[in-house]
Amino acid sequence: MMSPDEHNPGESLETLDWGPAVESAEEARSWIEQSGTQPAHFIGGEWSAPAAAKRFSSRCPATGEALRDVLQGSSEDVDRAVQAARTALPTWQAMGPDGRARCLYAIARNIQKESRLFAVVESLDNGKPIRETRDLDIPLVVRHFYHHAGAAQLLDETDPGAEPWGVCGQIIPWNFPLLMLAWKIAPALACGNTVVLKPAEWTSLSALLFAETCQKAGLPDGVINIVTGDGETGAAIVAHPDIDKVAFTGSTEVGRIIREATAGSGKGLTLELGGKSPYIIFEDSDIDSAVEGLVDAIWFNQGQVCCAGSRMLVQESISDEVHRKVEERMSRLRVGNPLDKAIDIGAMVEEKHRDQVAAMCERAKGEGITCIQPPIDLPKQGYWFPPTLFRDAPLSSEIASQEVFGPVLVSTTFRTPQEAVKIANHSRYGLAASIWSQDIDTALDVARKVEAGTVWVNGTNMFDASSGFGGMKESGFGREGGREGLRAYLRDVKPMTPTDGDTSATGGIVNSTSTDPALDRTAKLYIGGKQVRPDGGYCFEVQSPSGELLGLAARSNRKDVRNAVEASHRSKWGSMTGHARAQVLWFIAENLEPRSDDLAQLIDQMTGCGAAKAREEVQQSVAGWTWWASWADKHDGAVHDTPWRGLVLAVHEPFGTAGVICPQQNPLLGLVALCAPLLATGNSVIAIPSTAALAAVEMCRIIEHSDLPAGALNLLTGDAAEIGPVLAGHDDVDLLWHVSDEPLARELEAVSAGNMKVCWRPGELSDRSRRMLDRGTQVKNIWLPHGI
Ligand code: NDP
């Protein structure tokens, strides 16, 4: 087959093959040349180029030529940018929702006016086909700024009293350079934040062009600052003490480093990470549409897409037919000059990346996995890789389980919908999924069961500013777009510290030296719906503030943590309806209330808070159960209005297993106020209560007789500093709410990076806002395009 570079018009007429339709690069090249004469960062509204700055070249992947130089940002540059962003904050915030909306609107308009220039610059710098930059990247960028102009305007209405974080550090990858910039900058500005953004080393040019657009749009100086550079520049942004929130899109590996680096700092954090998304084709699907969708799912942007449908799961009965059609379609894909409008696959972003993809494919071939690559002549210069399929790749193979980030598809078969779900979820990632079936029951049932932040039914790669996008599991946390994406740029609650509260401090763990026969109680944990002895066989004393022994509590160890996690995973709580969960939580309140007097007495003895405050704490705890019971069937999702024809269902789902480290104070309310909202939203909970643990133990005795299914709530009494990190580091715990001092917070959040679990530090025990429910749920967006 002839490469599109070697076009012969006469032959085209005979073969009816595509002729070249190459977009002019003249204007883009002239902008690149002129802007590259003096490479600079964009800081405080000015172009800034320190004399000693190091430089590197930004290359055109389609030819390998150097386009222009870009500066390597130092930590001093980052510092200047952060200062400029800090200085700009008061002006920007004083402009109010209306003023900020006007600026965002002006940015949208200005990008639109120069949309072709942006599209060509992006294609030259990144290697992606102009068809994609022109028809998808840039229109989505514009839509994002328009949508968030509206979001800025309405902020006082939608989120009254909410405050922005302040200065946001934003780090983006190279695969959708301008789109990722828009996803980050638009909501940040809408909420009144200022920004320091670092584009990826390989693709900085569209961000620099965007900085010019901000100047034209009249954005106040310092609201947007762009510092170019590599990973070290990114690390300097993350580490800067005056950054309030970090927003990162990139690989799970770097996301993990950033999670560890920000642990305990109190900085806001959202991580949009990698994926290995399943593309599931059922036997009752429209097969031709599914195959055409697949082309978009895996070969769009050379497969360098976080949510690429890189794992094709085909029902066994149609496997041969689907594979035949896929191979046939692969052979007709056109690889070549990204500026040619009739090209399907452009250039890989960089030689190094292309070589990594090639090496991964060689290893898969070495493992004996069948590799299919059509005989496409690749252009001689630049970085290219052909569309590739590995058929029937074992699930545990590297090629089937790791993100390739290239035009490489793996396929496997399944027999039943249950098996399809099992294979789909057999991944550390949970970013997206596509489901192809004409049967609405199958499609929606599987959509609810796959672990992914975005699910497309009979479609793929649909995005919109009104609908959140982001991952589950090791694909990160937080959403971009939608209401939840906007709220990620509003300041979080001020975290509670372990000793905040109404009452005086109680002591820490005192190892038991004796048992007190008068109390006649065995100190036990509550795991899997049963009172169980602690694995280690140790207890600790719970004393009054004056040192009087009040009782013993079991001292948990890491084995108890593991048992509790297993029990929580076996629990059927998450599959119960909101209505059923509400009944149980009401019943707990009903059974707690008659015990008010003795629990109040116990609280008073443990904390010395006085009878009235202790009674108040019990009343608040009863009210907490009824409050969150009332919400259990009401924390609905939404249906989004996107420009696409169809519905987008934003469904609220529990995270799964939540760890809770309760405050030291308010030993009963501290447990109820944090566990009840998590239970209401369908999570199973493992709680470490205050060391004044006797009230929490009593609460679990009440719960034992309140129809809460086994494993839904597990209580591990003991030392939070000892078992908290075990809970935080457990890979089968999906969420951690912790009330901890700074050293413990740092440790908990650092070890949580193992499975990238979401960590949150609650604000006040009196918080009964919807925020608590939002923090206990993740949003899955199910796209249902339709039309007859
Ligand atoms: P990387 O994680 O390598 O880099 C992402 C950004 O982080 C780049 O700007 C990079 O700088 C910077 N960086 C690198 N090291 C550090 C560090 N230690 N501290 C701070 N910043 C750092 O990802 P890629 O650029 O290779 O992008 C591909 C990845 O992005 C894929 O895994 C893909 O799945 C994911 N992605 C996820 C999306 C989502 O929404 N979930 C969307 C798009 C991509 P530099 O490149 O200049 O060295």
Side-chain angles (χ1 to χ4, degrees):
M1 184 184 286
M2 181 184 287
S3 138
D5 284 357
E6 301 159 22
H7 176 69
N8 172 344
E11 200 172 298
S12 279
L13 278 177
E14 274 181 27
T15 60
L16 289 183
D17 207 352
W18 294 93
V22 180
E23 176 75 32
S24 164
E26 201 178 321
E27 281 203 38
R29 282 191 178 277
S30 119
W31 175 80
I32 289 170
E33 195 179 320
Q34 159 263 313
S35 66
T37 49
Q38 199 175 11
H41 307 295
F42 183 66
I43 297 177
E46 288 174 359
W47 294 97
S48 148
K54 290 190 194 150
R55 295 172 170 213
F56 55 86
S57 295
S58 205
R59 295 190 172 278
C60 172
T63 58
E65 69 176 302
L67 288 170
R68 54 157 276 194
D69 279 358
V70 175
L71 294 189
Q72 166 63 24
S74 64
S75 48
E76 290 76 30
D77 298 325
V78 168
D79 192 44
R80 281 188 301 115
V82 173
Q83 278 180 36
R86 179 68 57 196
T87 308
L89 260 181
T91 315
W92 183 233
Q93 290 178 0
M95 285 174 73
D98 184 53
R100 294 198 295 272
R102 283 164 187 269
C103 283
L104 285 160
Y105 183 75
I107 292 175
R109 277 279 187 237
N110 276 282
I111 295 175
Q112 221 166 18
K113 282 181 214 158
E114 295 189 309
S115 58
R116 195 55 64 90
L117 174 63
F118 271 105
V120 179
V121 167
E122 196 81 312
S123 283
L124 281 173
D125 198 27
N126 169 282
K128 58 169 67 186
I130 183 76
R131 204 163 47 87
E132 294 176 10
T133 53
R134 183 196 59 191
D135 298 345
L136 191 121
D137 294 51
I138 308 304
L140 279 177
V141 167
V142 171
R143 160 86 179 136
H144 223 75
F145 280 104
Y146 275 136
H147 177 84
H148 284 92
Q153 184 85 63
L154 300 176
L155 195 66
D156 285 346
E157 180 74 22
T158 58
D159 295 86
E163 285 177 27
W165 274 103
V167 177
C168 298
Q170 305 186 323
I171 299 163
I172 56 172
W174 43 258
N175 58 344
F176 291 88
L178 195 68
L179 185 58
M180 292 299 102
L181 173 149
W183 281 17
K184 298 244 172 316
I185 286 184
L189 297 199
C191 292
N193 300 279
T194 56
V195 164
V196 176
L197 178 135
K198 187 196 88 66
E201 177 187 357
W202 292 336
T203 54
S204 308
L205 301 192
S206 55
L208 296 171
L209 179 57
F210 173 80
E212 290 184 11
T213 302
C214 291
Q215 286 179 310
K216 287 180 199 157
L219 199 68
D221 293 348
V223 171
I224 294 293
N225 303 276
I226 310 276
V227 182
T228 55
D230 64 10
E232 277 185 32
T233 314
I237 292 176
V238 171
H240 198 289
D242 209 22
I243 291 273
D244 300 297
K245 179 203 157 85
V246 175
F248 171 79
T249 297
S251 61
T252 296
E253 288 59 39
V254 175
R256 192 165 279 129
I257 292 170
I258 292 176
R259 166 70 285 187
E260 287 167 358
T262 53
S265 66
K267 287 177 183 166
L269 181 64
T270 39
L271 297 173
E272 303 291 347
L273 309 177
K276 188 82 181 175
S277 300
Y279 190 94
I280 309 171
I281 310 178
F282 285 96
E283 61 190 1
D284 58 9
S285 64
D286 171 349
I287 293 179
D288 288 332
S289 298
V291 170
E292 209 45 48
L294 182 77
V295 171
D296 189 29
I298 184 62
W299 291 304
F300 168 64
N301 199 16
Q302 297 69 253
Q304 302 166 139
V305 183
C306 50
C307 53
S310 53
R311 288 189 289 150
M312 177 170 76
L313 279 51
V314 195
Q315 199 152 15
E316 212 170 76
S317 52
I318 54 164
S319 172
D320 286 344
E321 181 185 357
V322 168
H323 277 95
R324 182 174 50 72
K325 290 189 169 178
V326 169
E327 286 176 37
E328 206 254 327
R329 189 68 182 82
M330 280 169 79
S331 69
R332 284 189 283 117
L333 290 170
R334 305 183 82 239
V335 184
N337 182 2
L339 291 182
D340 185 337
K341 293 166 203 153
I343 280 300
D344 297 305
I345 298 185
M348 302 289 287
V349 71
E350 247 292 335
E351 187 171 23
K352 185 174 156 203
H353 180 62
R354 191 270 316 272
D355 291 350
Q356 281 166 352
V357 170
M360 227 165 151
C361 290
E362 284 311 308
R363 288 197 291 276
K365 286 184 206 165
E367 288 171 36
I369 305 169
T370 307
C371 176
I372 294 146
Q373 282 175 329
I376 294 177
D377 288 338
L378 300 176
K380 307 283 177 289
Q381 284 181 315
Y383 322 126
W384 309 90
F385 201 77
T388 301
L389 164 65
F390 283 96
R391 198 170 164 169
D392 300 321
L395 297 185
S396 56
S397 59
E398 181 193 40
I399 203 82
S401 59
Q402 303 301 319
E403 186 180 40
V404 181
F405 223 57
V408 180
L409 177 70
V410 293
S411 73
T412 191
T413 58
F414 66 87
R415 289 184 185 170
T416 62
Q418 291 76 8
E419 197 189 359
V421 170
K422 217 168 170 180
I423 298 173
N425 290 343
H426 180 78
S427 171
R428 65 185 176 120
Y429 297 112
L431 192 55
S434 285
I435 297 160
W436 290 79
S437 168
Q438 292 301 105
D439 181 84
I440 194 163
D441 280 344
T442 307
L444 288 181
D445 198 46
V446 173
R448 296 299 303 268
K449 288 178 179 153
V450 290
E451 295 163 350
T454 300
V455 180
W456 296 292
V457 172
N458 295 327
T460 191
N461 280 345
M462 286 175 266
F463 311 98
D464 184 55
S466 69
S467 172
F469 180 85
M472 297 180 177
K473 305 200 291 191
E474 291 187 39
S475 291
F477 46 79
R479 297 284 181 270
E480 296 198 308
R483 288 169 207 153
E484 56 278 18
L486 187 79
R487 287 186 184 138
Y489 283 95
L490 295 171
R491 187 168 272 285
D492 205 350
V493 289
K494 183 170 172 290
M496 231 187 305
T497 68
T499 49
D500 278 350
D502 289 344
T503 53
S504 61
T506 51
I509 291 272
V510 180
N511 283 322
S512 163
T513 48
S514 66
T515 52
D516 184 347
L519 291 169
D520 194 25
R521 280 256 165 117
T522 315
K524 286 190 175 177
L525 307 171
Y526 183 60
I527 297 177
K530 290 193 212 118
Q531 309 279 335
V532 295
R533 290 178 198 282
D535 172 75
Y538 284 101
C539 299
F540 62 94
E541 292 183 354
V542 178
Q543 300 176 345
S544 70
S546 60
E548 182 196 351
L549 175 67
L550 298 172
L552 297 178
R555 187 165 183 167
S556 324
N557 66 11
R558 54 178 56 239
K559 178 78 168 44
D560 297 313
V561 174
R562 289 202 291 271
N563 290 342
V565 174
E566 273 177 35
S568 80
H569 274 261
R570 281 196 300 270
S571 175
K572 60 173 190 178
W573 182 245
S575 61
M576 286 167 57
T577 62
H579 171 70
R581 290 198 301 270
Q583 303 300 299
V584 175
L585 300 185
W586 275 102
F587 194 36
I588 293 174
E590 190 183 321
N591 291 333
L592 171 61
E593 200 166 51
R595 296 282 310 277
S596 295
D597 289 346
D598 61 296
L599 273 166
Q601 193 185 2
L602 190 54
I603 291 169
D604 186 19
Q605 284 173 340
M606 289 191 298
T607 65
C609 65
K613 281 199 166 174
R615 261 198 315 277
E616 166 76 16
E617 179 166 346
V618 180
Q619 273 168 14
Q620 287 301 319
S621 301
V622 174
W625 285 116
T626 59
W627 178 268
W628 297 116
S630 308
W631 270 110
D633 60 349
K634 296 177 191 65
H635 187 48
D636 300 332
V639 179
H640 290 310
D641 188 5
T642 74
W644 301 74
R645 195 163 53 149
L647 297 171
V648 180
L649 311 180
V651 180
H652 287 169
E653 293 192 348
F655 280 86
T657 292
V660 174
I661 298 178
C662 301
Q664 187 59 21
Q665 289 295 357
N666 299 96
L668 182 64
L669 185 61
L671 179 81
V672 176
L674 302 189
C675 296
L678 285 166
L679 288 168
T681 42
N683 295 282
S684 296
V685 177
I686 301 165
I688 303 173
S690 159
T691 50
L694 301 183
V697 170
E698 285 308 311
M699 186 71 247
C700 285
R701 289 196 168 122
I702 294 165
I703 285 174
E704 203 177 350
H705 302 291
S706 303
D707 295 344
L708 189 75
L713 177 68
N714 306 276
L715 190 79
L716 298 175
T717 49
D719 186 354
E722 196 175 292
I723 50 170
V726 183
L727 191 59
H730 199 299
D731 279 352
D732 284 330
V733 173
D734 308 293
L735 171 69
L736 183 75
W737 285 12
H738 61 100
V739 179
S740 52
D741 55 22
E742 210 187 306
L744 181 58
R746 199 176 315 123
E747 185 178 358
L748 295 171
E749 292 180 2
V751 295
S752 78
N755 68 341
M756 305 303 292
K757 64 175 65 64
V758 180
C759 294
W760 186 54
R761 298 169 77 176
E764 290 168 0
L765 294 181
S766 56
D767 189 352
R768 294 210 187 130
S769 67
R770 254 186 116 136
R771 177 194 307 120
M772 301 289 278
L773 301 164
D774 289 340
R775 290 296 186 163
T777 40
Q778 47 192 345
V779 183
K780 173 188 275 182
N781 280 289
I782 302 177
W783 290 68
L784 296 168
H786 57 70
I788 46 175

